[in-house]
Amino acid sequence: MKNFTFYNPVRVHFGKGQVTNLKEELKDYNKILVTYGGGSIKKNGVYDDVMKNLKGKEVFELSGITPNPRTDKVYEGIKICKENDIDFILAVGGGSTLDCSKAIAMGAKTNEDFWDYFFEEKNKPTDAIKLGTVITMAGTGSEMDGSCVISNIERKKKYGYGHRLLYPVFSIIDPTYTYSLPKYQLISGTCDMFSHIMEEYFSEPDYENTTDNISESLMKTVIDSIRVALKNPKDYQARSNLMWVSTLAINGLTATGKSSDWLSHKLEHTLSAYFDVTHGMGLAVVHPNYLKFVYKNHLEKFRSFAINVWNINPEGKTDEELALESIVALQNFFKEIGAPTTLRELDIPKDKIKEMAENTAAYKTSYSDLSTSDIETIYNNAY
Amino acid sequence: MKNFTFYNPVRVHFGKGQVTNLKEELKDYNKILVTYGGGSIKKNGVYDDVMKNLKGKEVFELSGITPNPRTDKVYEGIKICKENDIDFILAVGGGSTLDCSKAIAMGAKTNEDFWDYFFEEKNKPTDAIKLGTVITMAGTGSEMDGSCVISNIERKKKYGYGHRLLYPVFSIIDPTYTYSLPKYQLISGTCDMFSHIMEEYFSEPDYENTTDNISESLMKTVIDSIRVALKNPKDYQARSNLMWVSTLAINGLTATGKSSDWLSHKLEHTLSAYFDVTHGMGLAVVHPNYLKFVYKNHLEKFRSFAINVWNINPEGKTDEELALESIVALQNFFKEIGAPTTLRELDIPKDKIKEMAENTAAYKTSYSDLSTSDIETIYNNAY
């Protein structure tokens, strides 16, 4: 195990009806900015649930936050916060709404441009507006981490930023809030959480460690649960599993003692920045292709992946055969649940691959050291 | 999954050499009470490591904290804190030192008697001295929870008490600090952490949930790692696994969504209160016998335990046979690593069983509703 510091102060209220905790959690705050996306929360009752518990507060709203949240929406939120002296941001929605809200929370406490100062120059915030969340989708895990990812469309950049001030004070995770989620988002979120687990799992050190064993158990839980949730969207147990795994997959647990490579996310962020690809769907395409590119130096780990996650019988197979079979099993799983597995399916023009590869800020990881030409190869293999 | 709130603000610094974090962690504190046990930390270098990082502070000491820490030591610590206006307690040692220190931390901030007011009457503290830990043993997991267990020998009581004010601010977990641990404590700590996992695992709801899958992965990690650590006490990976599993087994993770029965701990606490039995060793005796008493109503769960934890081949076996085989496997595992499996081995006189049963404060759990006579039966079966 590598040395690590684990710290995660988010208070999670998990389960049906937990939205009533808002009253106690917000008792010391008065001017609340409620942020949300396209308005689905007004149709499924979540908006009403939240507002009922904000009675007596001065409530402001920022709506229309899109997937792959953009700088313009962050600027809009910062303006509302500054003009109205907002003392708490309540993000209600999926990972995009949460990420956008985190960027607003720190951007509102500085006179610097949030994108240049934090995302480009990597300065650290000294203050941020306190933030809580009511998450309505399983996938990003943004409800229990201190990170956000924002897209700058003009500059074709999709960057992540993390700081301890960005941890939500609390998060309400009610699995019933995902019952009405469009199937597309259920699938995309599932690919996202699965990819999060693999980003840590496929990083060194490789063997006999607590964290990898936990990761394998989480992956198996996802495989079983999404199959149930696709058949019966109102299966509470399956929805609960997907939500809790999604949270655990990024709250630091699966990173403990690991190198944490996150290279597939880099490869996907370029797709999103160029073509507004849905994050989870992009990952379903690039992650298996990334693994096909690096597996040869980590055969024993892929052996474990094959046997423990995919129940592949190892008898009579070489480690290389087992490794490839495990990656095919992963691709077949993504296909089975309805995710794309090629860039073609994402409508990405082949002649953009070279430019995208050049524009991907890769770095040396414990599993790989990709050149621009390697990235081009991975994208081409994924076509 | 049952509804739950998860909150754990402890900052964990895990790995070799992490003791140097003390400087940064304690920069705002000046009068430090260092608490420890029988003095082993002076032989293995931990004491020196700690003191080196406390230079410039006013340091007080409370030593001689015993296993099953007792009220008298807590009173002694409270006196030192009050007389010297201690502003931080640094507990250096195993779970007993940490538990005793937590009781001191809250007892020092009240004029009430800590035992009567908190442990007996269950009043809540409004303040506590801040506390950090340098843990030197894997087992109790006290380094990442807000609980402590104290023995009142006069009253033959061993009670637990938990409150959010008792969470350590930070914990230093350095696996190399366990290298010189006596084998007896390694074994006892391992039984303790294994029992912690089972207390949650064998509680409802039973099936297809994230938490049980994680618990199975943790139990498998313990089984593999203790075998390595017994052969080679300086195997860093095995020691790391035992330390990290021990921490995760009680930091709330394995309780998420579960009923959390903890009945075996009740049965063991009586043994410790009567005969000063080492906690982990007492658990190795009572836990399998408790499971033998309750398994019949939870056959499917024991089936999972048999197959996923003990790799028992289910072919041709009834669920009842599988369940019993899994409990025997558990007992054999405890025997194999050198733990006792009968009360006789703990030198407990058989004629005390009736009195102990009457003095055990059992309660209804999701798996059981034990009468005094049931408890007597379990103790007798364990003889």
Side-chain angles (χ1 to χ4, degrees):
Chain A
M1 250 185 247
K2 283 167 69 82
N3 282 10
F4 64 86
T5 290
F6 179 89
Y7 173 65
N8 193 315
V10 181
R11 200 160 36 243
V12 167
H13 300 290
F14 188 103
K16 195 175 174 179
Q18 292 281 34
V19 70
T20 54
N21 284 288
L22 283 178
K23 276 186 194 154
E24 174 67 19
E25 288 286 1
L26 295 175
K27 68 178 193 302
D28 296 330
Y29 303 96
N30 290 307
K31 299 179 95 173
I32 319 280
L33 173 63
V34 176
T35 56
Y36 54 100
S40 62
I41 63 165
K42 290 200 172 168
K43 288 175 202 142
N44 61 18
V46 178
Y47 179 87
D48 290 341
D49 279 359
V50 167
M51 289 304 169
K52 240 181 271 171
N53 288 284
L54 295 184
K55 267 186 194 150
K57 310 280 182 192
E58 197 175 344
V59 175
F60 300 79
E61 297 190 22
L62 173 71
S63 64
I65 299 170
T66 57
N68 295 324
R70 299 176 185 189
T71 45
D72 55 350
K73 217 65 196 173
V74 179
Y75 291 121
E76 195 182 332
I78 290 172
K79 192 161 174 277
I80 298 175
C81 289
K82 286 186 172 175
E83 284 177 2
N84 299 287
D85 219 6
I86 295 295
D87 61 4
F88 199 93
I89 299 176
L90 182 64
V92 183
S96 302
T97 297
L98 272 53
D99 278 14
C100 182
S101 304
K102 288 176 183 175
I104 294 168
M106 68 175 176
K109 288 287 190 180
T110 175
N111 290 323
E112 307 284 347
D113 177 86
F114 93 93
W115 179 269
D116 288 337
Y117 192 69
F118 298 126
F119 283 70
E120 294 275 3
E121 295 163 24
K122 303 293 177 198
N123 288 301
K124 288 181 181 168
T126 52
D127 197 6
I129 297 177
K130 293 265 188 268
L131 173 127
T133 87
V134 179
I135 183 87
T136 60
M137 181 181 164
T140 69
S142 187
E143 64 275 16
M144 206 179 174
D145 75 10
S147 301
C148 55
V149 180
I150 301 293
S151 295
N152 189 320
I153 296 296
E154 279 169 33
R155 300 194 201 169
K156 286 196 169 46
K157 299 284 186 196
K158 183 175 180 180
Y159 279 175
Y161 187 89
H163 193 271
R164 64 177 169 74
L165 284 170
L166 302 184
Y167 280 108
V169 177
F170 65 85
S171 283
I172 311 279
I173 308 180
D174 183 337
T176 67
Y177 284 177
T178 64
Y179 284 173
S180 60
L181 201 67
K183 194 173 164 185
Y184 183 83
Q185 286 186 13
L186 167 61
I187 296 165
S188 167
T190 300
C191 297
D192 195 10
M193 72 182 84
F194 208 93
S195 175
H196 290 167
I197 302 168
M198 291 194 294
E199 295 280 24
E200 310 284 7
Y201 179 74
F202 290 112
S203 76
E204 293 186 352
D206 265 343
Y207 311 117
E208 291 155 10
N209 64 67
T210 310
T211 307
D212 284 345
N213 292 349
I214 292 174
S215 287
E216 288 178 356
S217 82
L218 295 180
M219 287 189 273
K220 285 190 289 187
T221 308
V222 174
I223 295 165
D224 292 343
S225 302
I226 181 65
R227 285 172 175 158
V228 175
L230 281 169
K231 272 191 204 140
N232 178 13
K234 294 195 178 178
D235 186 288
Y236 185 76
Q237 185 64 22
R239 291 290 194 172
S240 299
N241 283 334
L242 290 173
M243 286 204 105
W244 191 223
V245 171
S246 141
T247 306
L248 294 176
I250 204 138
N251 76 348
L253 177 68
T254 59
T256 53
K258 302 283 293 180
S259 293
S260 305
D261 283 6
W262 290 94
L263 215 283
S264 289
H265 268 62
K266 278 280 171 195
L267 299 176
E268 193 293 313
H269 283 177
T270 304
L271 307 186
S272 291
Y274 268 74
F275 298 103
D276 208 16
V277 164
T278 303
H279 180 53
M281 299 308 197
L283 288 167
V285 172
V286 298
H287 212 142
N289 283 287
Y290 166 71
L291 295 178
K292 275 186 191 164
F293 199 82
V294 300
Y295 78 93
K296 284 191 181 166
N297 294 325
H298 305 274
L299 288 177
E300 205 169 325
K301 183 57 164 291
F302 279 87
R303 185 185 167 82
S304 179
F305 185 56
I307 297 170
N308 296 331
V309 178
W310 300 108
N311 294 318
I312 296 172
N313 184 344
E315 263 175 60
K317 287 167 196 160
T318 64
D319 279 354
E320 185 155 352
E321 284 167 342
L322 262 184
L324 279 171
E325 208 174 314
S326 73
I327 301 172
V328 169
L330 171 67
Q331 271 181 319
N332 286 341
F333 168 68
F334 284 148
K335 254 184 225 164
E336 173 200 331
I337 66 172
T341 51
T342 61
L343 290 180
R344 196 185 305 259
E345 290 165 83
L346 294 175
D347 292 328
I348 289 175
K350 195 160 190 190
D351 59 11
K352 276 283 179 187
I353 282 181
K354 198 175 169 58
E355 184 187 333
M356 289 198 307
E358 281 161 1
N359 212 4
T360 298
Y363 46 87
K364 195 174 182 323
T365 70
S366 70
Y367 262 44
S368 62
D369 186 7
L370 304 184
S371 66
T372 301
S373 126
D374 292 336
I375 296 173
E376 197 180 336
T377 303
I378 293 172
Y379 282 146
N380 273 316
N381 290 344
Y383 205 79
Chain B
M1 249 186 249
K2 284 169 67 83
N3 282 9
F4 64 85
T5 289
F6 180 89
Y7 173 65
N8 193 316
V10 181
R11 198 160 38 242
V12 168
H13 301 291
F14 188 103
K16 195 176 173 178
Q18 292 280 36
V19 69
T20 54
N21 283 288
L22 283 178
K23 276 186 194 152
E24 174 66 20
E25 288 286 2
L26 295 174
K27 68 179 194 300
D28 297 331
Y29 303 96
N30 290 307
K31 299 179 95 172
I32 317 281
L33 174 63
V34 176
T35 56
Y36 53 100
S40 62
I41 61 165
K42 291 200 172 169
K43 289 178 202 140
N44 60 19
V46 178
Y47 179 86
D48 290 341
D49 279 1
V50 168
M51 288 304 167
K52 239 180 272 174
N53 287 284
L54 294 185
K55 268 186 192 148
K57 310 280 183 192
E58 198 175 342
V59 176
F60 300 79
E61 297 191 23
L62 173 71
S63 64
I65 299 170
T66 57
N68 295 323
R70 301 176 184 188
T71 46
D72 54 351
K73 216 68 196 171
V74 178
Y75 291 122
E76 195 182 332
I78 291 172
K79 191 161 174 276
I80 298 175
C81 289
K82 287 187 172 175
E83 284 177 0
N84 300 286
D85 220 4
I86 295 295
D87 60 5
F88 199 94
I89 299 175
L90 182 63
V92 184
S96 301
T97 297
L98 272 54
D99 279 15
C100 181
S101 304
K102 289 175 182 175
I104 294 168
M106 69 177 175
K109 288 286 190 181
T110 174
N111 291 322
E112 306 284 347
D113 177 86
F114 93 94
W115 179 269
D116 287 338
Y117 192 68
F118 298 125
F119 283 69
E120 293 277 1
E121 295 163 23
K122 303 292 176 198
N123 287 300
K124 288 180 182 169
T126 53
D127 196 6
I129 297 177
K130 294 265 188 269
L131 174 127
T133 87
V134 179
I135 183 88
T136 59
M137 181 180 165
T140 68
S142 187
E143 64 276 15
M144 206 180 174
D145 75 10
S147 300
C148 56
V149 180
I150 301 292
S151 294
N152 189 320
I153 296 296
E154 279 170 32
R155 299 194 201 168
K156 286 196 168 44
K157 299 283 185 196
K158 183 176 179 179
Y159 279 174
Y161 186 88
H163 192 272
R164 64 178 170 73
L165 285 171
L166 303 185
Y167 280 108
V169 177
F170 65 85
S171 284
I172 310 279
I173 307 180
D174 183 337
T176 67
Y177 284 177
T178 64
Y179 284 175
S180 61
L181 202 67
K183 194 173 163 187
Y184 182 83
Q185 286 186 14
L186 166 61
I187 296 164
S188 167
T190 301
C191 297
D192 195 12
M193 72 181 84
F194 208 94
S195 176
H196 290 166
I197 303 167
M198 291 194 296
E199 294 281 24
E200 310 285 6
Y201 179 74
F202 290 112
S203 76
E204 293 187 355
D206 263 344
Y207 310 117
E208 290 155 10
N209 64 68
T210 311
T211 307
D212 284 345
N213 292 347
I214 291 173
S215 288
E216 289 177 356
S217 82
L218 296 181
M219 287 189 274
K220 284 190 290 188
T221 308
V222 174
I223 296 165
D224 292 343
S225 301
I226 181 64
R227 284 172 175 158
V228 175
L230 282 170
K231 270 189 206 142
N232 178 12
K234 293 194 176 179
D235 186 289
Y236 185 75
Q237 185 63 22
R239 291 291 192 170
S240 300
N241 282 334
L242 291 172
M243 285 204 105
W244 191 222
V245 170
S246 140
T247 307
L248 294 175
I250 204 138
N251 77 346
L253 177 68
T254 59
T256 54
K258 302 283 295 180
S259 294
S260 305
D261 284 6
W262 289 95
L263 214 282
S264 290
H265 268 62
K266 279 280 172 197
L267 299 177
E268 192 294 313
H269 283 177
T270 305
L271 307 187
S272 291
Y274 268 74
F275 298 103
D276 208 18
V277 164
T278 304
H279 181 53
M281 299 308 197
L283 288 167
V285 172
V286 297
H287 212 141
N289 282 289
Y290 166 71
L291 295 178
K292 274 186 192 164
F293 198 83
V294 299
Y295 78 93
K296 285 192 179 163
N297 294 326
H298 305 275
L299 288 177
E300 205 168 326
K301 183 57 164 293
F302 279 87
R303 185 184 167 82
S304 179
F305 185 56
I307 297 171
N308 296 331
V309 178
W310 300 108
N311 295 318
I312 296 172
N313 185 343
E315 264 175 60
K317 288 167 194 158
T318 66
D319 278 355
E320 184 156 350
E321 285 166 342
L322 263 184
L324 280 172
E325 208 174 315
S326 74
I327 301 172
V328 169
L330 171 67
Q331 270 180 319
N332 287 341
F333 168 68
F334 284 149
K335 253 185 228 166
E336 172 200 332
I337 66 172
T341 52
T342 62
L343 290 180
R344 195 185 305 258
E345 290 164 83
L346 295 174
D347 292 327
I348 289 175
K350 196 161 190 191
D351 60 11
K352 275 285 178 184
I353 283 181
K354 199 175 167 60
E355 185 188 332
M356 289 196 309
E358 280 162 2
N359 211 4
T360 299
Y363 46 88
K364 196 174 182 321
T365 71
S366 70
Y367 262 45
S368 63
D369 186 6
L370 304 184
S371 66
T372 300
S373 123
D374 293 336
I375 295 173
E376 198 181 334
T377 303
I378 293 172
Y379 282 146
N380 272 315
N381 291 343
Y383 204 79

